[in-house]
Amino acid sequence: MSHGDDRQRDLIANLDFHVEAGLDLFLDEVPHDRFGEADAPEPVQAAPVRAPVAPSGRTPVVHPARDESFRTELPERGAPPPPPPQTRTFGQSAAAKPGEAAGDARARARDVATLAELEALLAGFDGCPLKFTAKNLVFADGNPDAKLMFIGEAPGADEDRVGKPFMGRSGKLLDRMMAAVGLDRTSAYVTNIVPWRPPGNRNPTPQEVAICKPFIERQIELAAPDLIVCLGSPSTQAITGTKDGILKARGRFYPYRVGDREIRVLATLHPAYLLRQPLQKRLAWRDFRTLRAALDGKA
Ligand code: URA
């Protein structure tokens, strides 16, 4: 095996490691050593950088992070601070701040009359920064006429790629949990409180949830289910308003008012949590039996 093959294998292993760790999004051309920047000495007059010549006479490959010509220019000490970097955070929205974006979302959501219109509205809504890092809008899956609606947290990488919620490992587990009580995606409508994937699978911030909340509220109103199951804490807290953690909130019914109608909301554990804590499946199983009983008019 040649040196070049070794290097390629190491680079692929390194990339795999970062993807596994959730770093699957490039925000810039080269990595930044922020710790190094903080300790960096005063900039000196830059001498022209000449690529070192290897003993073989061939110019070696220089890693961009170690190549001075790729370095971010540091301001001179004492110079006025540079203007903040331009980000697209809210730049493309009519609303400039998260509070305004949430107000804008609420006003727009009120105007749509069908789920299809709501999906189109979301596709054109630029007020949530997550839209700009996601590949696709993840609106919903399943049957919008079903009596039952599942609400998760936010799309992950699989959902972002496919454009539908609960497509990856959590989705497979959710499908098995549903099947255990005689349900599938023809008998339930499935969505999330946030319809764009947060980069690197981080949790959506409270601001992002607040901006998207008018949309999920309108989605509930238009789908008009009899029963909602919130999967995990962020969804339970956003929909029911409880501050309790999911281990306390799960298994309970909460009222959710839409006009003069009351929808029952059952909180349970998120399938992603169950994949990490399989012993907790016994609690989810109890909740799904409660769900079945509620659908059968016995709870
Ligand atoms: N987790 C969620 O909360 N929603 C999805 O769609 C996928 C994973």
Side-chain angles (χ1 to χ4, degrees), residues 138 152-156 159 164-167 170 192 270 272:
V138 175
E153 182 179 349
E159 292 75 21
K164 288 190 174 167
F166 286 98
M167 289 285 121
S170 306
N192 286 303
H270 194 288

Side-chain angles (χ1 to χ4, degrees), residues 108-120:
R108 289 172 191 236
R110 262 198 302 268
D111 278 352
V112 298
T114 64
L115 289 168
E117 281 177 27
L118 180 62
E119 183 171 3

Side-chain angles (χ1 to χ4, degrees), residues 3-16:
H3 176 67
D5 290 339
D6 279 352
R7 185 170 161 73
Q8 189 178 20
R9 198 198 50 223
D10 287 353
L11 283 171
I12 291 170
N14 191 314
L15 278 175
D16 282 346

Side-chain angles (χ1 to χ4, degrees), residues 35 188 209 245 253 265 271-272 291 295:
F35 294 106
V209 172
F253 286 105
V265 179
L291 164 64
L295 289 170

